[in-house]
Amino acid sequence: MTANDVTVIAEQAIFTIIKCAAPMLLVSLCVGLCVSIFQTVTSIQEQTLTFVPKVLAIFLSLIVMGHWILNNMVEFMTGLWNDFNLYVR
């Protein structure tokens, strides 16, 4: 196993992490922005108001996108295990 192999595996792992985390991060960003605009318009400065909608939105996005995320992770790990004999040398 060369340093190039390790770099390629690390690059693929980081890309998989970003690809799997992006839906939840984008949902959290959009919900947080909407709640912030609502708080600004209504002059409500309640800190827990942002927490509950974000948690619910992330939970719903996990329900919707969970199958896709799991498939991406399984595909990455299957590729690693299939090439395991190349890495052991």
Side-chain angles (χ1 to χ4, degrees):
M1 179 173 222
T2 64
N4 189 31
D5 292 336
V6 174
T7 305
V8 169
I9 293 170
E11 180 182 315
Q12 289 173 347
I14 291 171
F15 182 70
T16 303
I17 290 168
I18 291 170
K19 190 168 57 169
C20 291
M24 272 63 64
L25 293 174
L26 290 174
V27 165
S28 177
L29 177 73
C30 293
V31 170
L33 182 65
C34 292
V35 170
S36 295
I37 291 171
F38 175 75
Q39 283 182 324
T40 302
V41 169
T42 60
S43 298
I44 297 174
Q45 296 302 323
E46 179 64 32
Q47 298 212 357
T48 58
L49 184 63
T50 60
F51 181 72
V52 174
K54 277 186 184 181
V55 169
L56 291 176
I58 290 172
F59 181 69
L60 289 174
S61 69
L62 274 173
I63 290 173
V64 172
M65 301 293 290
H67 182 70
W68 178 78
I69 292 169
L70 187 61
N71 280 339
N72 280 328
M73 291 190 295
V74 167
E75 180 182 312
F76 174 70
M77 287 306 298
T78 303
L80 281 180
W81 282 110
N82 285 340
D83 295 338
F84 188 72
N85 61 348
L86 300 174
Y87 304 138
V88 173
R89 291 187 215 173

Coordinates of all heavy atoms in Angstrom, one line a residue:
M1 N 0.9 -1.2 0.0 CA 0.0 0.0 0.0 C 0.9 1.2 0.0 O 1.8 1.4 0.9 CB -0.9 0.0 1.2 CG -1.8 1.2 1.3 SD -3.0 0.9 2.7 CE -4.4 1.5 1.9
T2 N 0.7 2.1 -0.9 CA 1.5 3.3 -1.1 C 0.8 4.5 -0.4 O -0.4 4.4 -0.1 CB 1.8 3.6 -2.5 OG1 0.6 3.9 -3.2 CG2 2.5 2.4 -3.2
A3 N 1.5 5.6 -0.4 CA 1.0 6.8 0.2 C -0.1 7.3 -0.7 O -1.1 7.9 -0.3 CB 2.0 7.9 0.3
N4 N 0.0 7.0 -2.0 CA -1.1 7.5 -3.0 C -2.4 6.7 -2.7 O -3.5 7.3 -2.8 CB -0.6 7.2 -4.4 CG -1.5 7.8 -5.4 OD1 -2.2 8.8 -5.2 ND2 -1.7 7.2 -6.6
D5 N -2.3 5.4 -2.4 CA -3.5 4.6 -2.0 C -4.2 5.2 -0.8 O -5.4 5.3 -0.8 CB -3.1 3.2 -1.8 CG -2.7 2.5 -3.0 OD1 -3.0 2.9 -4.1 OD2 -1.9 1.5 -2.9
V6 N -3.4 5.6 0.2 CA -4.0 6.1 1.4 C -4.7 7.5 1.1 O -5.7 7.8 1.6 CB -2.9 6.3 2.5 CG1 -3.4 7.0 3.7 CG2 -2.3 5.0 2.9
T7 N -4.0 8.3 0.3 CA -4.6 9.6 -0.1 C -5.9 9.4 -0.9 O -6.9 10.1 -0.6 CB -3.6 10.3 -1.0 OG1 -2.4 10.5 -0.3 CG2 -4.1 11.7 -1.3
V8 N -6.0 8.4 -1.8 CA -7.2 8.2 -2.5 C -8.3 7.7 -1.6 O -9.5 8.1 -1.7 CB -6.9 7.1 -3.6 CG1 -8.2 6.6 -4.3 CG2 -6.0 7.7 -4.7
I9 N -8.0 6.8 -0.7 CA -9.0 6.3 0.3 C -9.5 7.5 1.2 O -10.7 7.6 1.4 CB -8.4 5.2 1.1 CG1 -8.2 3.9 0.3 CG2 -9.4 4.8 2.3 CD1 -7.4 2.8 1.0
A10 N -8.6 8.3 1.7 CA -9.0 9.4 2.5 C -9.8 10.4 1.7 O -10.8 10.9 2.2 CB -7.7 10.1 3.0
E11 N -9.5 10.6 0.5 CA -10.3 11.5 -0.4 C -11.7 11.0 -0.6 O -12.7 11.7 -0.5 CB -9.6 11.7 -1.7 CG -10.3 12.6 -2.7 CD -9.5 12.7 -4.0 OE1 -8.3 12.9 -4.0 OE2 -10.2 12.6 -5.1
Q12 N -11.8 9.7 -0.9 CA -13.1 9.1 -1.1 C -13.9 9.1 0.2 O -15.1 9.4 0.2 CB -12.9 7.7 -1.5 CG -12.4 7.5 -2.9 CD -12.1 6.1 -3.3 OE1 -12.1 5.2 -2.4 NE2 -11.9 5.8 -4.6
A13 N -13.3 8.9 1.4 CA -14.0 8.9 2.6 C -14.5 10.3 2.9 O -15.6 10.5 3.4 CB -13.0 8.5 3.8
I14 N -13.7 11.3 2.7 CA -14.1 12.7 3.0 C -15.2 13.1 2.1 O -16.2 13.7 2.5 CB -12.9 13.7 2.9 CG1 -12.0 13.4 4.1 CG2 -13.4 15.1 2.9 CD1 -10.7 14.2 4.0
F15 N -15.1 12.7 0.8 CA -16.2 13.0 -0.2 C -17.5 12.3 0.2 O -18.6 12.9 0.1 CB -15.8 12.7 -1.6 CG -16.8 13.0 -2.6 CD1 -17.1 14.3 -2.9 CD2 -17.5 12.0 -3.2 CE1 -18.1 14.6 -3.9 CE2 -18.5 12.3 -4.2 CZ -18.8 13.6 -4.5
T16 N -17.4 11.1 0.7 CA -18.6 10.4 1.1 C -19.2 11.0 2.4 O -20.4 11.2 2.4 CB -18.3 8.9 1.4 OG1 -17.7 8.3 0.3 CG2 -19.5 8.1 1.9
I17 N -18.4 11.5 3.3 CA -18.9 12.2 4.5 C -19.6 13.4 4.1 O -20.7 13.7 4.6 CB -17.7 12.5 5.5 CG1 -17.2 11.2 6.1 CG2 -18.2 13.4 6.6 CD1 -15.9 11.3 6.8
I18 N -19.0 14.2 3.2 CA -19.6 15.5 2.8 C -20.9 15.2 2.1 O -22.0 15.9 2.3 CB -18.7 16.3 1.9 CG1 -17.5 16.8 2.8 CG2 -19.4 17.5 1.3 CD1 -16.4 17.4 2.0
K19 N -20.9 14.2 1.2 CA -22.1 13.9 0.4 C -23.3 13.4 1.3 O -24.4 13.7 1.1 CB -21.8 12.8 -0.6 CG -22.8 12.6 -1.6 CD -22.3 11.7 -2.8 CE -21.7 10.4 -2.4 NZ -21.5 9.5 -3.5
C20 N -22.9 12.7 2.4 CA -24.0 12.1 3.3 C -24.5 13.2 4.3 O -25.6 13.1 4.7 CB -23.4 10.9 4.0 SG -23.2 9.5 3.0
A21 N -23.6 14.1 4.6 CA -24.0 15.2 5.6 C -24.7 16.4 5.0 O -25.4 17.1 5.7 CB -22.8 15.6 6.4
A22 N -24.5 16.6 3.7 CA -25.0 17.8 3.0 C -26.5 17.9 3.1 O -27.0 19.1 3.4 CB -24.5 17.8 1.6
P23 N -27.3 16.9 2.9 CA -28.8 17.1 3.0 C -29.2 17.7 4.4 O -30.0 18.6 4.5 CB -29.4 15.8 2.8 CG -28.3 15.0 2.0 CD -27.0 15.5 2.5
M24 N -28.7 17.1 5.5 CA -29.1 17.5 6.8 C -28.6 19.0 7.1 O -29.3 19.8 7.7 CB -28.6 16.6 7.9 CG -29.6 15.5 8.2 SD -29.8 14.4 6.8 CE -28.2 13.7 6.6
L25 N -27.4 19.2 6.6 CA -26.8 20.6 6.9 C -27.6 21.6 6.1 O -27.9 22.7 6.6 CB -25.3 20.6 6.5 CG -24.4 19.8 7.4 CD1 -23.0 19.8 6.8 CD2 -24.4 20.3 8.8
L26 N -28.0 21.3 4.9 CA -28.8 22.3 4.1 C -30.2 22.5 4.7 O -30.6 23.6 4.7 CB -28.9 21.8 2.6 CG -27.5 21.9 1.8 CD1 -27.7 21.3 0.5 CD2 -27.1 23.3 1.7
V27 N -30.8 21.4 5.1 CA -32.1 21.6 5.8 C -32.0 22.4 7.0 O -32.8 23.3 7.3 CB -32.7 20.2 6.1 CG1 -33.9 20.3 7.0 CG2 -33.1 19.5 4.8
S28 N -31.0 22.1 7.8 CA -30.8 22.9 9.0 C -30.5 24.4 8.7 O -31.0 25.3 9.4 CB -29.6 22.3 9.8 OG -29.3 23.1 11.0
L29 N -29.7 24.6 7.7 CA -29.5 26.0 7.3 C -30.7 26.7 6.9 O -31.0 27.9 7.3 CB -28.4 26.0 6.2 CG -28.1 27.4 5.6 CD1 -27.2 28.2 6.5 CD2 -27.4 27.2 4.3
C30 N -31.5 26.1 6.0 CA -32.8 26.7 5.6 C -33.8 27.0 6.7 O -34.4 28.0 6.8 CB -33.4 25.9 4.5 SG -32.4 25.8 3.0
V31 N -33.9 26.0 7.5 CA -34.9 26.1 8.7 C -34.4 27.2 9.6 O -35.2 28.0 10.1 CB -35.1 24.8 9.4 CG1 -35.9 25.0 10.7 CG2 -35.8 23.8 8.5
G32 N -33.1 27.2 9.9 CA -32.6 28.3 10.8 C -32.7 29.6 10.2 O -33.1 30.6 10.9
L33 N -32.6 29.8 8.9 CA -32.8 31.1 8.2 C -34.2 31.5 8.3 O -34.5 32.7 8.6 CB -32.3 31.0 6.8 CG -32.4 32.3 6.0 CD1 -31.4 33.3 6.6 CD2 -32.0 32.0 4.5
C34 N -35.1 30.6 8.0 CA -36.6 30.9 8.1 C -37.0 31.3 9.5 O -37.7 32.3 9.7 CB -37.4 29.7 7.6 SG -37.2 29.4 5.9
V35 N -36.5 30.6 10.5 CA -36.8 30.9 11.9 C -36.2 32.3 12.3 O -36.9 33.0 13.0 CB -36.4 29.8 12.9 CG1 -36.5 30.2 14.3 CG2 -37.2 28.5 12.6
S36 N -35.0 32.5 11.8 CA -34.4 33.8 12.2 C -35.2 35.0 11.5 O -35.3 36.0 12.2 CB -32.9 33.8 11.6 OG -32.2 32.9 12.3
I37 N -35.6 34.8 10.3 CA -36.4 35.8 9.7 C -37.7 36.0 10.4 O -38.2 37.2 10.7 CB -36.7 35.5 8.2 CG1 -35.3 35.6 7.4 CG2 -37.7 36.4 7.6 CD1 -35.4 35.1 6.0
F38 N -38.3 34.9 10.8 CA -39.6 35.0 11.6 C -39.3 35.7 12.9 O -40.2 36.6 13.4 CB -40.1 33.6 11.9 CG -41.3 33.5 12.8 CD1 -42.6 33.9 12.3 CD2 -41.2 33.1 14.1 CE1 -43.7 33.9 13.1 CE2 -42.3 33.1 14.9 CZ -43.6 33.5 14.4
Q39 N -38.2 35.4 13.6 CA -37.9 36.1 14.9 C -37.7 37.6 14.7 O -38.1 38.4 15.5 CB -36.7 35.4 15.5 CG -37.0 34.1 16.2 CD -35.8 33.6 16.9 OE1 -34.7 33.7 16.4 NE2 -36.0 32.9 18.0
T40 N -37.0 37.9 13.6 CA -36.7 39.3 13.3 C -38.0 40.1 13.0 O -38.2 41.2 13.5 CB -35.8 39.5 12.1 OG1 -34.6 38.7 12.4 CG2 -35.4 40.9 11.9
V41 N -38.9 39.5 12.3 CA -40.2 40.2 11.9 C -41.1 40.3 13.1 O -41.7 41.4 13.3 CB -40.9 39.4 10.8 CG1 -42.3 39.9 10.5 CG2 -40.1 39.5 9.5
T42 N -41.1 39.3 13.9 CA -42.1 39.4 15.1 C -41.4 39.9 16.4 O -42.1 40.0 17.4 CB -42.6 38.0 15.4 OG1 -41.6 37.1 15.7 CG2 -43.4 37.5 14.2
S43 N -40.1 40.2 16.3 CA -39.4 40.6 17.5 C -39.4 39.6 18.7 O -39.3 40.0 19.8 CB -39.9 42.0 18.0 OG -39.7 42.9 17.0
I44 N -39.6 38.4 18.4 CA -39.5 37.3 19.4 C -38.0 36.9 19.5 O -37.4 36.5 18.6 CB -40.4 36.1 19.0 CG1 -41.8 36.5 18.9 CG2 -40.2 35.0 20.0 CD1 -42.7 35.4 18.4
Q45 N -37.5 37.0 20.7 CA -36.1 36.6 21.0 C -36.0 35.4 21.8 O -35.2 35.3 22.8 CB -35.4 37.8 21.6 CG -35.3 39.0 20.7 CD -34.6 38.7 19.3 OE1 -33.7 37.9 19.3 NE2 -35.2 39.3 18.3
E46 N -36.8 34.4 21.5 CA -36.8 33.1 22.3 C -35.7 32.2 21.7 O -35.7 31.9 20.5 CB -38.1 32.4 22.2 CG -38.3 31.1 23.0 CD -38.1 31.3 24.5 OE1 -38.4 32.3 25.0 OE2 -37.5 30.3 25.1
Q47 N -34.8 31.7 22.5 CA -33.7 30.9 22.0 C -34.1 29.5 21.7 O -33.5 28.9 20.8 CB -32.5 30.9 23.0 CG -32.0 32.3 23.2 CD -30.5 32.3 23.5 OE1 -29.9 31.3 23.6 NE2 -29.9 33.5 23.6
T48 N -35.0 29.0 22.4 CA -35.5 27.6 22.1 C -36.3 27.5 20.9 O -36.6 26.4 20.4 CB -36.3 27.0 23.3 OG1 -37.4 27.9 23.6 CG2 -35.4 27.0 24.5
L49 N -36.8 28.6 20.3 CA -37.6 28.6 19.1 C -36.8 28.1 17.9 O -37.4 27.4 17.1 CB -38.1 30.0 18.8 CG -39.1 30.2 17.7 CD1 -40.3 29.4 17.9 CD2 -39.4 31.6 17.4
T50 N -35.5 28.3 17.9 CA -34.8 27.8 16.7 C -34.4 26.3 16.9 O -34.3 25.6 15.9 CB -33.5 28.5 16.6 OG1 -32.7 28.4 17.8 CG2 -33.7 30.0 16.3
F51 N -34.4 25.8 18.1 CA -33.9 24.4 18.3 C -35.0 23.4 17.9 O -34.6 22.4 17.1 CB -33.6 24.2 19.8 CG -33.1 22.9 20.2 CD1 -31.9 22.5 19.8 CD2 -33.9 22.0 20.9 CE1 -31.4 21.2 20.1 CE2 -33.5 20.7 21.2 CZ -32.2 20.3 20.8
V52 N -36.2 23.5 18.3 CA -37.2 22.5 18.0 C -37.5 22.3 16.5 O -37.5 21.2 16.0 CB -38.5 22.8 18.8 CG1 -39.6 21.8 18.4 CG2 -38.2 22.7 20.3
P53 N -37.7 23.4 15.7 CA -37.9 23.2 14.3 C -36.7 22.6 13.6 O -36.9 21.8 12.7 CB -38.2 24.6 13.8 CG -38.6 25.4 14.9 CD -37.9 24.8 16.1
K54 N -35.5 23.0 14.0 CA -34.3 22.4 13.4 C -34.3 20.9 13.6 O -34.0 20.1 12.7 CB -33.1 23.0 13.9 CG -32.7 24.3 13.2 CD -31.4 24.8 13.7 CE -31.0 26.1 13.1 NZ -29.7 26.5 13.6
V55 N -34.5 20.5 14.9 CA -34.5 19.0 15.2 C -35.5 18.3 14.4 O -35.3 17.2 13.9 CB -34.7 18.8 16.7 CG1 -34.9 17.4 17.1 CG2 -33.4 19.4 17.5
L56 N -36.8 18.8 14.4 CA -37.8 18.1 13.6 C -37.5 18.1 12.1 O -37.7 17.0 11.5 CB -39.1 18.9 13.8 CG -39.7 18.8 15.2 CD1 -41.0 19.6 15.3 CD2 -40.0 17.3 15.6
A57 N -37.0 19.1 11.6 CA -36.6 19.1 10.1 C -35.5 18.2 9.8 O -35.5 17.5 8.8 CB -36.3 20.6 9.7
I58 N -34.5 18.1 10.7 CA -33.4 17.2 10.5 C -33.9 15.7 10.6 O -33.5 14.9 9.8 CB -32.2 17.5 11.4 CG1 -31.6 18.8 11.0 CG2 -31.2 16.3 11.4 CD1 -30.5 19.3 12.0
F59 N -34.8 15.5 11.6 CA -35.3 14.2 11.7 C -36.1 13.8 10.5 O -36.0 12.6 10.0 CB -36.2 14.1 13.0 CG -36.8 12.8 13.3 CD1 -36.0 11.7 13.7 CD2 -38.2 12.6 13.1 CE1 -36.6 10.5 13.9 CE2 -38.8 11.4 13.4 CZ -38.0 10.3 13.8
L60 N -36.9 14.7 10.0 CA -37.7 14.3 8.8 C -36.8 14.1 7.5 O -37.0 13.3 6.7 CB -38.7 15.5 8.5 CG -39.9 15.5 9.4 CD1 -40.8 16.8 9.2 CD2 -40.7 14.3 9.4
S61 N -35.7 14.9 7.5 CA -34.8 14.8 6.3 C -34.1 13.4 6.4 O -33.8 12.8 5.4 CB -33.9 15.9 6.2 OG -33.0 16.0 7.3
L62 N -33.8 13.0 7.7 CA -33.2 11.7 7.8 C -34.1 10.6 7.4 O -33.7 9.6 6.8 CB -32.7 11.5 9.3 CG -31.4 12.0 9.7 CD1 -31.2 11.9 11.2 CD2 -30.3 11.3 8.9
I63 N -35.4 10.7 7.7 CA -36.4 9.7 7.3 C -36.4 9.7 5.8 O -36.5 8.6 5.2 CB -37.8 10.0 7.9 CG1 -37.7 9.8 9.4 CG2 -38.9 9.2 7.3 CD1 -39.0 10.2 10.1
V64 N -36.4 10.8 5.1 CA -36.6 10.9 3.7 C -35.3 10.5 3.0 O -35.3 9.7 2.0 CB -37.0 12.3 3.2 CG1 -36.9 12.5 1.7 CG2 -38.4 12.7 3.8
M65 N -34.1 10.9 3.5 CA -32.9 10.7 2.8 C -32.1 9.5 3.4 O -31.0 9.2 2.9 CB -32.0 12.0 2.9 CG -32.6 13.2 2.2 SD -32.8 13.0 0.5 CE -31.1 13.1 -0.1
G66 N -32.6 8.9 4.4 CA -31.8 7.9 5.1 C -31.4 6.7 4.2 O -30.3 6.2 4.3
H67 N -32.3 6.3 3.4 CA -32.0 5.2 2.5 C -30.8 5.5 1.5 O -29.9 4.7 1.3 CB -33.2 4.8 1.7 CG -33.1 3.6 0.8 ND1 -32.9 2.3 1.2 CD2 -33.0 3.5 -0.6 CE1 -32.7 1.5 0.2 NE2 -32.8 2.2 -0.9
W68 N -30.9 6.7 1.0 CA -29.8 7.2 0.1 C -28.5 7.3 0.8 O -27.4 6.9 0.3 CB -30.2 8.5 -0.5 CG -29.2 9.1 -1.4 CD1 -28.9 8.8 -2.7 CD2 -28.3 10.2 -1.1 NE1 -27.9 9.5 -3.2 CE2 -27.5 10.4 -2.2 CE3 -28.1 10.9 0.0 CZ2 -26.5 11.4 -2.3 CZ3 -27.1 11.9 0.0 CH2 -26.3 12.1 -1.1
I69 N -28.5 7.8 2.0 CA -27.3 8.0 2.8 C -26.7 6.6 3.1 O -25.5 6.4 3.0 CB -27.5 8.8 4.1 CG1 -27.9 10.2 3.8 CG2 -26.4 8.7 5.1 CD1 -28.4 11.0 4.9
L70 N -27.5 5.7 3.6 CA -27.1 4.3 3.9 C -26.5 3.6 2.7 O -25.5 3.0 2.7 CB -28.2 3.5 4.5 CG -27.8 2.1 5.0 CD1 -26.8 2.3 6.1 CD2 -29.0 1.4 5.5
N71 N -27.1 3.8 1.5 CA -26.6 3.2 0.3 C -25.2 3.8 -0.1 O -24.3 3.0 -0.5 CB -27.6 3.4 -0.9 CG -28.7 2.5 -0.9 OD1 -28.6 1.4 -0.3 ND2 -29.8 2.8 -1.5
N72 N -25.0 5.1 0.1 CA -23.7 5.7 -0.2 C -22.6 5.1 0.8 O -21.5 4.8 0.3 CB -23.8 7.2 0.0 CG -24.3 7.9 -1.2 OD1 -24.2 7.4 -2.3 ND2 -25.0 9.0 -1.0
M73 N -23.0 5.0 2.0 CA -22.0 4.4 3.0 C -21.7 3.0 2.7 O -20.5 2.5 2.8 CB -22.5 4.6 4.4 CG -22.4 6.1 4.8 SD -22.7 6.4 6.6 CE -24.4 5.8 6.8
V74 N -22.7 2.2 2.4 CA -22.5 0.8 2.1 C -21.7 0.6 0.8 O -20.8 -0.2 0.8 CB -23.9 0.0 2.0 CG1 -23.7 -1.3 1.4 CG2 -24.5 -0.1 3.3
E75 N -21.9 1.4 -0.2 CA -21.2 1.4 -1.4 C -19.7 1.7 -1.1 O -18.8 1.0 -1.7 CB -21.7 2.4 -2.4 CG -21.1 2.5 -3.7 CD -21.7 3.5 -4.6 OE1 -22.9 3.5 -4.7 OE2 -21.0 4.3 -5.2
F76 N -19.4 2.7 -0.3 CA -18.0 3.0 0.0 C -17.3 1.9 0.7 O -16.2 1.5 0.4 CB -18.0 4.3 0.8 CG -16.6 4.7 1.4 CD1 -15.6 5.1 0.5 CD2 -16.3 4.5 2.7 CE1 -14.4 5.4 1.0 CE2 -15.1 4.8 3.2 CZ -14.1 5.3 2.3
M77 N -18.0 1.3 1.8 CA -17.4 0.3 2.5 C -17.2 -1.0 1.7 O -16.3 -1.7 1.9 CB -18.2 0.0 3.8 CG -18.1 1.0 4.8 SD -16.4 1.4 5.3 CE -15.9 -0.2 6.0
T78 N -18.2 -1.3 0.8 CA -18.1 -2.5 -0.1 C -16.9 -2.3 -1.0 O -16.1 -3.3 -1.2 CB -19.3 -2.6 -0.9 OG1 -20.5 -2.8 0.0 CG2 -19.3 -3.9 -1.8
G79 N -16.6 -1.1 -1.5 CA -15.5 -0.9 -2.3 C -14.2 -1.1 -1.5 O -13.2 -1.6 -2.0
L80 N -14.2 -0.6 -0.3 CA -13.0 -0.8 0.6 C -12.7 -2.3 0.8 O -11.6 -2.8 0.7 CB -13.1 -0.1 1.9 CG -12.8 1.4 1.9 CD1 -13.0 1.9 3.3 CD2 -11.5 1.7 1.4
W81 N -13.8 -3.0 1.2 CA -13.6 -4.5 1.5 C -13.2 -5.3 0.2 O -12.5 -6.3 0.3 CB -14.8 -5.0 2.1 CG -14.9 -4.7 3.6 CD1 -15.8 -3.8 4.2 CD2 -14.0 -5.2 4.6 NE1 -15.5 -3.7 5.5 CE2 -14.5 -4.5 5.8 CE3 -13.0 -6.0 4.7 CZ2 -13.8 -4.8 7.0 CZ3 -12.4 -6.3 5.9 CH2 -12.8 -5.6 7.1
N82 N -13.8 -4.9 -0.9 CA -13.5 -5.6 -2.2 C -12.0 -5.4 -2.6 O -11.4 -6.3 -3.2 CB -14.4 -5.2 -3.3 CG -15.7 -5.7 -3.2 OD1 -16.0 -6.7 -2.5 ND2 -16.7 -5.1 -3.8
D83 N -11.4 -4.3 -2.2 CA -10.0 -4.0 -2.6 C -9.1 -4.3 -1.4 O -7.9 -3.9 -1.4 CB -9.9 -2.5 -3.0 CG -10.6 -2.2 -4.3 OD1 -10.9 -3.2 -5.1 OD2 -10.9 -1.1 -4.6
F84 N -9.6 -5.0 -0.4 CA -8.8 -5.2 0.8 C -7.5 -5.9 0.5 O -6.4 -5.7 1.0 CB -9.6 -6.0 1.8 CG -8.9 -6.1 3.1 CD1 -8.8 -5.0 4.0 CD2 -8.4 -7.3 3.6 CE1 -8.2 -5.1 5.2 CE2 -7.8 -7.5 4.8 CZ -7.7 -6.4 5.6
N85 N -7.5 -6.9 -0.4 CA -6.3 -7.7 -0.8 C -5.3 -6.8 -1.4 O -4.1 -7.1 -1.3 CB -6.7 -8.9 -1.6 CG -7.3 -8.4 -3.0 OD1 -7.6 -7.3 -3.2 ND2 -7.4 -9.4 -3.9
L86 N -5.6 -5.7 -2.1 CA -4.7 -4.8 -2.7 C -4.0 -4.0 -1.6 O -2.8 -3.6 -1.8 CB -5.3 -3.9 -3.7 CG -6.0 -4.5 -4.8 CD1 -6.8 -3.5 -5.7 CD2 -5.0 -5.3 -5.7
Y87 N -4.7 -3.7 -0.5 CA -4.1 -2.8 0.5 C -3.2 -3.6 1.5 O -2.4 -3.0 2.1 CB -5.3 -2.2 1.3 CG -6.2 -1.4 0.5 CD1 -7.6 -1.4 0.7 CD2 -5.8 -0.6 -0.6 CE1 -8.5 -0.7 -0.1 CE2 -6.6 0.1 -1.4 CZ -8.0 0.1 -1.1 OH -8.9 0.8 -1.9
V88 N -3.4 -4.9 1.6 CA -2.6 -5.7 2.6 C -1.2 -5.9 2.1 O -0.3 -5.9 2.9 CB -3.3 -7.0 2.8 CG1 -2.5 -7.9 3.7 CG2 -4.7 -6.8 3.4
R89 N -1.0 -5.9 0.8 CA 0.4 -6.2 0.3 C 1.4 -5.2 0.8 O 1.3 -4.1 1.0 CB 0.4 -6.1 -1.2 CG -0.3 -7.3 -1.8 CD -0.1 -7.2 -3.3 NE -1.4 -7.7 -3.9 CZ -1.6 -7.7 -5.2 NH1 -0.7 -7.2 -6.0 NH2 -2.7 -8.1 -5.7

